[in-house]
Amino acid sequence: MRLLIPFAAAFVLAFALSGAPLPARAAEETVVTDAAPMAPGLHAFDLTAARNGLTYRVDVSVPPVAPPPGGFPVLYLLDGNAFFSIAATSALLLGGSEGPVVVVAIGYPGVAGFDLTRRYLDLTSAVTPEGRTIMGARAPKVPTGGDEAFLDVILNEIRPEVARRLPVNDDRATLFGHSLGGRFVLHAAFTRPDAFRRWVASSPSIWWNDREVLKEEAAFAARTGRPALDLTLVVGGAEQDPEREEAPERAAFRTMARMVDGVRDMHDRLTRLQAGAGRIDLLVVPDEGHISVVPASLGRAVRRAAG
């Protein structure tokens, strides 16, 4: 199993910049290559997607028990390089009480932690002039806007490959993402609500593109015959607190982002909208920040995936 690099050093949020080149065109077909086994129950493969021509490393943890009737429930993770170790360990520790869960972590080959260039592309809509103005010096200097293609890759290429390899139940699939990944989860839930049974958005970047995801939420709310969501929102209770010796630029961004307020407001709106249908959970983890909340978020994601 990959080592999880220290968050404080590696998790530069979504604002660090990188100039690694990206493929210019989609591949002609999906290409899958097995990686060397890491340990019993752990598997990995690289998949070059036909949809966007990009290669993904997929790490998989399989419970050491017989699959239940219909197959294992599955927890799909974004930013898989960073989060696989925590999620796989949580699934093993909680398996006896919560039930077995297959963990599928979607990341990138040969990268420890976060590939900031790739995650900007995969997890975001195209940055708008308004969004760039709001982010100022923190605005990305790398490609954005690949979220729809990435969602297609997950649903039409990665999930079928996992189902081909393992006895999984796609009707019991959960999607987890943190930060920009949390924003991606909300985008997917509001635009393709039937794609997953459950959704877990951890510290979602609701602020992205001048809170563009709120427009998607409103469009979802206005849909006739919309399905009821099973969505868990998680945020660290200290994410809006001033930091020690905080730079003015950081303080301005924290005020703009309103991480805790934004999640609370969304929970309240969706709870009223669904009026008891589905399930909208809110977990505000006291004293935790944007980084330190991740283990609690993943623990909750494992429990929801097993349910």
Side-chain angles (χ1 to χ4, degrees), residues 9-295:
F11 196 81
V12 197
L13 298 177
F15 309 117
L17 304 179
S18 171
L22 294 170
R25 62 182 179 83
E28 294 182 356
E29 61 181 10
T30 302
V31 178
V32 180
T33 305
D34 285 334
M38 295 177 288
L42 302 181
H43 310 273
F45 60 90
D46 292 334
L47 182 146
T48 300
R51 175 68 168 84
N52 59 11
L54 300 176
T55 299
Y56 298 88
R57 164 57 60 92
V58 180
D59 289 307
V60 183
S61 172
V62 182
V65 297
F72 290 112
V74 190
L75 173 60
Y76 285 88
L77 308 175
L78 309 177
D79 285 318
N81 301 70
F83 300 147
F84 179 55
S85 296
I86 298 175
T89 300
S90 297
L92 289 173
L93 291 174
L94 295 171
S97 59
E98 304 294 333
V101 175
V102 166
V103 175
V104 177
I106 304 169
Y108 308 108
V111 176
F114 298 88
D115 184 327
L116 297 169
T117 299
R118 287 289 303 276
R119 74 189 303 267
Y120 253 128
L121 179 67
D122 282 338
L123 302 180
T124 67
S125 57
V127 65
T128 62
E130 294 82 4
R132 191 171 293 280
T133 297
I134 289 171
M135 285 184 277
R138 295 174 179 266
K141 296 179 175 63
V142 294
T144 59
D147 55 359
E148 278 295 294
F150 182 41
L151 185 53
D152 284 343
V153 171
I154 294 172
L155 298 180
N156 301 326
E157 301 186 60
I158 293 176
R159 275 177 66 168
E161 181 63 22
V162 171
R164 185 185 71 82
R165 292 165 174 260
L166 296 168
V168 294
N169 186 343
D170 267 344
D171 292 330
R172 297 182 64 192
T174 299
L175 182 65
F176 170 92
H178 178 75
S179 195
L180 283 178
R183 177 259 161 207
F184 180 95
V185 167
L186 294 177
H187 164 72
F190 294 143
T191 60
R192 305 196 206 182
D194 294 318
F196 288 87
R197 179 173 179 179
R198 295 190 173 101
W199 312 84
V200 181
S202 173
S203 299
S205 299
I206 293 173
W207 53 265
W208 176 260
N209 264 351
D210 196 19
R211 291 175 168 75
E212 176 184 65
V213 76
L214 299 188
K215 297 177 183 177
E216 296 176 337
E217 178 195 342
F220 169 78
R223 285 178 55 171
T224 301
R226 65 179 179 275
L229 291 178
D230 187 326
L231 170 66
T232 299
L233 296 162
V234 186
V235 70
E239 292 199 44
Q240 285 183 201
D241 294 352
E243 300 171 1
R244 185 177 303 174
E245 300 179 358
E246 187 174 52
E249 177 187 310
R250 173 60 190 163
F253 179 82
R254 175 177 50 76
T255 300
M256 178 278 295
R258 297 178 59 250
M259 294 295 294
V260 180
D261 291 344
V263 168
R264 286 187 181 278
D265 291 347
M266 180 172 286
H267 169 264
D268 291 347
R269 287 192 304 273
L270 292 176
T271 299
R272 290 194 298 270
L273 174 69
Q274 298 204 155
R279 177 171 174 173
I280 307 295
D281 285 351
L282 173 63
L283 175 62
V284 180
V285 187
D287 303 322
E288 303 297 349
H290 193 70
I291 298 168
S292 60
V293 73
V294 169

